[in-house]
Amino acid sequence: MGTPQLAQQPEPKYWHLKTVLSAALDSEFSVGQALPNERALAARFGVARATLRQALDQLELEGRLQRRRGIGTTVAPPRVGVDVGPGALDGPGGPGDAWTTTGWAREPAPPAVAEALGLPRREPVEAVHRLLTSHGLPVATERLFVPAALLPERPGAAAPRPAASGEQRGLDLLGRLRAQGPDGQDRSVELGSAGAAEARRLDQLPGAPVLLVTTRYARAGRVLAVSLATYRADTCRLTFGGGDAPRAGEAAAVSVE
Amino acid sequence: MGTPQLAQQPEPKYWHLKTVLSAALDSEFSVGQALPNERALAARFGVARATLRQALDQLELEGRLQRRRGIGTTVAPPRVGVDVGPGALDGPGGPGDAWTTTGWAREPAPPAVAEALGLPRREPVEAVHRLLTSHGLPVATERLFVPAALLPERPGAAAPRPAASGEQRGLDLLGRLRAQGPDGQDRSVELGSAGAAEARRLDQLPGAPVLLVTTRYARAGRVLAVSLATYRADTCRLTFGGGDAPRAGEAAAVSVE
DNA sequence: AAGTGGTCTAGACCACCTC
DNA sequence: AGGTGGTCTAGACCACTTA
């Protein structure tokens, strides 16, 4: 008799569950539709609730589901493409777009930022806070670290009065940075998790997965500002170079196989 | 008497644990050092193992820890910066770099790829498989969908014989694509989870978080090829535009606060 | 054989939302 | 009040590695 099939190690239950649910989402559910609650689903599949949740966690990570406490689980819409091309300094007063300046603060620079700017670590520095919304929902927050000392005041513009709001101060700094006309940008993207403050601003739970985009604005080899942007990983797809980048299609591409 | 402090809802245990562990990693551990095992840690902090694991899961997601079954948990080195700039077609025979062509196959195009290439969905198409390693470890896999029909054979080069290996066929297709000199690229990045095949090639477990990079190569408005690349999210930081993009520093930037 | 992390269970309670 | 997802427990067994 031939060599018997190598005893295939059993697929984890949650993995199989995920596959089954994924197929069901494609064929039997439409965007926005609610799934049965977790206890019902677990019972239907004959597994513990924790095991079912492991499968749902994966599907949520892939952007296929949306879960809200007290509400339920629904089928998520396709991820929204967000351009992080060369125009990232856009905003009210700038060309383009939907970034909103929400405030201003002097706060200690994170180590990487301090290093890039050539400052002592944890040196207090001006930070402009911005929020990006898409279709009315928040998708990203940004802290733009921009040392005022590096930016001359704009001759034509009135400096904000001491009593000016954070928004006004932020807009002033942003304008001064734009006036410098940065000529170089470095960007990097990595996976992170939302802190308490970011989670609140992005309307999600602390610890939720986010895409961390670090951008360095330079002019003539001198780093003028560093931006730390936090994009919701569940709802966002970052696009570079052109607004019509391809969509990584339904299940097939998001869960790579 | 004044309004009493609003009863602060208790921080989840796993969240507090994560904070404590994170601080300990910074101050008392060095890269590569092993942590106590999960049962010991759970006992030390007086929580159930599942709760401890929730904290470790987060730290692993942020690239601070590395866990290997049967081995233990160690402090992860800083993420490696991987350039995904305009030179992504590099590889043996091309300028630059470390992509290795591992094979070739005719496989059905994922929906998004078929659409971008203007083909019927699930149409079989040539796919070149490549692997990117850094310091000897695999960090990314790629499937480059490149319909042979769109690419003329190179006059000077010998076409691979029918019996040629997958590698040879892949290299031939890659050469023909390079010879076309694509002049446009669209890229997008999103979060995904590794399928069984990718996980095997990347030496991680199925379901591990990955960064999905979709690139469209075009010439004169015509899409010639589409690449689906899968980067390990735990060990990689994607960099764009210049090889010396800033590092999102230690804890502070990866776990945004 | 012994030790590690990965999976799974059957409960419990909590925070949040709607009715 | 009743429903939802989020947290937590105290176990058990499994897969993998090393010795």
Side-chain angles (χ1 to χ4, degrees):
Chain A
M1 52 207 75
T3 307
Q5 279 289 101
L6 194 58
Q8 191 75 350
Q9 85 193 24
E11 201 175 40
K13 281 190 185 176
Y14 79 91
W15 188 262
H16 181 242
L17 256 183
K18 179 195 149 188
T19 308
V20 171
L21 286 170
S22 182
L25 290 183
D26 287 333
S27 62
E28 301 167 30
F29 287 83
S30 50
V31 168
Q33 190 174 349
L35 269 66
N37 72 55
E38 298 184 348
R39 290 159 180 89
L41 277 177
R44 175 180 311 181
F45 289 106
V47 300
R49 190 175 154 221
T51 303
L52 174 83
R53 279 180 60 82
Q54 236 179 314
L56 294 184
D57 285 346
Q58 286 255 345
L59 291 170
E60 194 182 23
L61 191 78
E62 293 171 15
R64 313 266 331 258
L65 292 180
Q66 188 172 8
R67 294 196 280 183
R68 276 170 302 178
R69 173 159 48 180
I71 307 285
T73 302
T74 55
V75 180
R79 285 186 175 136
V80 53
V82 180
D83 189 24
V84 285
L89 278 185
D90 296 350
D97 191 345
W99 281 99
T100 305
T101 302
T102 56
W104 170 95
R106 277 186 67 87
E107 50 186 285
V113 173
E115 186 189 357
L117 291 169
L119 300 172
R121 78 171 32 196
R122 303 209 65 73
E123 171 92 350
V125 63
E126 287 76 19
V128 181
H129 291 214
R130 300 198 298 170
L131 181 71
L132 177 64
T133 59
S134 175
H135 310 313
L137 297 173
V139 295
T141 69
E142 182 198 42
R143 285 183 300 167
L144 181 65
F145 294 94
V146 39
L150 296 182
L151 300 176
E153 295 182 10
R154 286 181 297 172
R161 295 168 304 145
S165 73
E167 276 176 55
Q168 288 172 309
R169 288 174 179 274
L171 285 171
D172 176 63
L173 279 170
L174 217 50
R176 284 157 72 182
L177 176 57
R178 281 201 206 97
Q180 284 286 301
D183 57 6
Q185 292 182 19
D186 288 326
R187 233 183 289 271
S188 79
V189 179
E190 64 186 309
L191 181 59
S193 62
E198 268 68 28
R200 208 175 319 116
R201 282 192 279 242
L202 293 176
D203 189 29
Q204 55 184 178
L205 292 176
V210 293
L211 296 174
L212 264 179
V213 180
T214 309
T215 310
R216 223 161 39 161
Y217 296 97
R219 175 170 178 82
R222 182 98 171 85
V223 176
L224 294 178
V226 175
S227 148
L228 290 183
T230 306
Y231 291 78
R232 287 185 61 144
D234 54 347
T235 59
C236 287
R237 193 180 88 251
L238 308 183
T239 65
F240 296 83
D244 60 332
R247 170 83 192 99
E250 318 311 317
V254 174
S255 175
V256 194
E257 177 50 35
Chain B
M1 55 212 71
T3 306
Q5 276 290 102
L6 193 59
Q8 189 75 351
Q9 84 195 21
E11 201 176 38
K13 281 190 185 177
Y14 79 91
W15 188 262
H16 181 242
L17 256 183
K18 178 195 150 187
T19 308
V20 172
L21 286 170
S22 182
L25 290 184
D26 287 333
S27 62
E28 301 168 29
F29 286 84
S30 51
V31 169
Q33 190 175 348
L35 269 65
N37 72 56
E38 297 184 350
R39 290 161 180 88
L41 278 177
R44 174 182 311 182
F45 289 105
V47 300
R49 191 177 155 220
T51 303
L52 174 83
R53 279 180 61 81
Q54 238 181 311
L56 295 184
D57 285 347
Q58 286 255 345
L59 291 170
E60 194 182 23
L61 192 77
E62 292 170 15
R64 314 263 334 255
L65 292 179
Q66 188 171 11
R67 294 196 280 183
R68 276 170 304 178
R69 173 158 47 178
I71 307 284
T73 302
T74 55
V75 180
R79 284 184 175 139
V80 53
V82 180
D83 187 25
V84 285
L89 278 184
D90 296 351
D97 176 355
W99 282 99
T100 306
T101 301
T102 56
W104 170 94
R106 276 185 69 87
E107 52 185 283
V113 173
E115 185 189 356
L117 291 169
L119 300 172
R121 78 171 30 195
R122 302 209 67 73
E123 171 93 349
V125 61
E126 287 76 19
V128 181
H129 292 214
R130 301 199 297 171
L131 182 72
L132 176 64
T133 59
S134 175
H135 310 313
L137 296 173
V139 294
T141 68
E142 182 199 41
R143 286 184 298 167
L144 180 66
F145 294 94
V146 39
L150 297 182
L151 300 176
E153 296 183 11
R154 287 181 296 175
R161 295 168 305 144
S165 74
E167 277 176 54
Q168 287 171 311
R169 288 174 179 272
L171 286 171
D172 175 64
L173 279 170
L174 218 49
R176 281 157 72 183
L177 177 57
R178 282 201 205 96
Q180 284 286 302
D183 56 8
Q185 293 181 20
D186 287 327
R187 233 183 290 271
S188 79
V189 179
E190 63 186 311
L191 180 59
S193 62
E198 267 69 29
R200 209 177 316 117
R201 282 192 279 244
L202 293 176
D203 190 26
Q204 54 185 179
L205 291 176
V210 294
L211 296 173
L212 263 179
V213 180
T214 309
T215 310
R216 224 163 36 162
Y217 296 97
R219 176 170 177 80
R222 182 96 173 85
V223 176
L224 294 178
V226 174
S227 148
L228 291 183
T230 306
Y231 290 79
R232 286 184 62 143
D234 55 347
T235 59
C236 287
R237 194 181 88 253
L238 308 184
T239 66
F240 296 83
D244 60 334
R247 170 84 190 96
E250 320 310 320
V254 174
S255 176
V256 194
E257 177 50 35

